[in-house]
Amino acid sequence: IIDEKRALELNFPASKFKEAYRLTVKPERISIEAVNPQGILHGAITLIQLFEKATNNTIPAQEILDYPDMEIRGVSDDIS
């Protein structure tokens, strides 16, 4: 968990702190940085998805900065 000052340094949008995260994969380590536990959860889910798609249990070095565009997640189904 990081503080809001560090989040701004990492280019997290201030309005998206609640679920934003940064996932960094390097040959020597993997890290997830977030302001809130929800961000850590979403970063961990992304990491799991990367491993599910990996070949030989290897994922490439990368950095992902992610956050939801909308505050409320859901599905709308209009069948009219």
Side-chain angles (χ1 to χ4, degrees):
I1 303 287
I2 59 175
D3 63 17
E4 291 183 4
K5 181 181 175 189
R6 173 75 175 139
L8 290 172
E9 291 171 0
L10 295 173
N11 295 320
F12 283 32
S15 63
K16 309 291 184 180
F17 278 172
K18 184 176 178 182
E19 297 184 33
Y21 67 90
R22 182 177 125 182
L23 170 64
T24 306
V25 177
K26 294 183 178 181
E28 64 275 2
R29 70 183 167 103
I30 296 172
S31 66
I32 300 171
E33 298 172 282
V35 175
N36 290 314
Q38 294 97 326
I40 298 290
L41 173 64
H42 290 294
I45 291 168
T46 299
L47 183 59
I48 289 167
Q49 291 170 341
L50 290 172
F51 273 112
E52 288 175 346
K53 299 289 182 184
T55 55
N56 300 324
N57 289 327
T58 302
I59 55 177
Q62 59 193 290
E63 181 178 289
I64 298 171
L65 174 61
D66 190 29
Y67 47 87
D69 286 332
M70 299 165 83
E71 187 173 331
I72 299 173
R73 296 175 186 256
V75 175
S76 176
D77 187 14
D78 183 358
I79 58 171
S80 58

